[in-house]
Amino acid sequence: MKRPYSEQPAIVIALIAAQTLCAAFFLWDVITDAMRNAASGPVEQMLVLETAATLALIAGIAFEIRVLMRLLQRKAHLERQVSLAARAFHDVIEERFTEWSLTAAERDVAHFSVKGLSITDIAGLRGSAEGTVKSQLNAIYRKAGVGNRGELLSLLIEEIMDHDSAVEDAGQPVAEISG
């Protein structure tokens, strides 16, 4: 899936570079016009207008650069937070799988199930029969003490929320869980 233009910093950087080139040209034009005008007498209204427009363009470029830098920093921060959350989720899942004594095959099936894959897809990826996957899912549900995929997901999400609450209660920010 193609990302929208607004999420592609290279395009924004290229536009800022083009604006900078335009600003440099307009600034050069204003300076040369001002030097010619200084010899001929009073300042023309058009020169004042061109100077104001050029300064506004330069100010706009400076503002765009600051906004772009803040957005890129925010994006990097959010990506780090998502990575930490994914790692924490994975850690909780692995802890539970170990606690439930899942076999290697059951772990694979459970991971695929948590990711939302269908029984048919899981069987295809694992090269096994759908009946085998169903049997493994039933074993997983039994070991976890749940009745279906929805309950399994709810249990894991609840574990993560409880884990995050316990960490926060201990005074440690959630973002530092497994960092």
Side-chain angles (χ1 to χ4, degrees):
M1 185 170 141
K2 189 172 179 181
R3 293 184 338 190
Y5 293 121
S6 61
E7 293 182 17
Q8 298 179 20
I11 292 173
V12 176
I13 291 169
L15 290 172
I16 291 173
Q19 289 175 328
T20 302
L21 290 174
C22 291
F25 171 77
F26 294 141
L27 186 60
W28 171 79
D29 183 54
V30 165
I31 290 170
T32 57
D33 287 351
M35 290 179 7
R36 261 187 267 139
N37 194 31
S40 67
V43 176
E44 295 178 16
Q45 240 182 349
M46 191 57 150
L47 180 60
V48 172
L49 182 61
E50 286 178 5
T51 302
T54 302
L55 293 175
L57 178 59
I58 292 169
I61 292 167
F63 177 77
E64 290 169 353
I65 290 170
R66 287 187 64 179
V67 168
L68 178 62
M69 295 306 293
R70 285 186 180 156
L71 288 174
L72 290 174
Q73 289 171 347
R74 178 75 177 145
K75 179 183 176 195
H77 171 75
L78 291 174
E79 287 173 348
R80 283 190 305 273
Q81 293 299 97
V82 166
S83 177
L84 288 171
R87 217 171 322 148
F89 185 62
H90 182 265
D91 291 347
V92 168
I93 287 174
E94 288 301 318
E95 286 175 21
R96 292 306 147 251
F97 290 178
T98 300
E99 180 182 303
W100 300 332
S101 302
L102 298 185
T103 66
E106 289 169 345
R107 282 176 181 261
D108 284 348
V109 170
H111 276 290
F112 288 136
S113 180
V114 167
K115 289 180 181 181
L117 275 67
S118 68
I119 291 173
T120 304
D121 292 338
I122 296 170
L125 288 169
R126 293 198 31 80
S128 59
E130 289 182 29
T132 303
V133 172
K134 287 179 185 178
S135 174
Q136 290 166 328
L137 280 172
N138 285 328
I140 294 164
Y141 300 154
R142 182 178 36 76
K143 291 177 180 181
V146 298
N148 58 45
R149 183 186 308 219
E151 290 178 14
L152 177 66
L153 287 172
S154 293
L155 179 64
L156 292 171
I157 290 169
E158 186 176 314
E159 290 284 335
I160 290 168
M161 292 174 71
D162 289 345
H163 181 69
D164 289 350
S165 296
V167 171
E168 284 176 348
D169 290 344
Q172 180 184 13
V174 174
E176 295 178 12
I177 290 172
S178 56

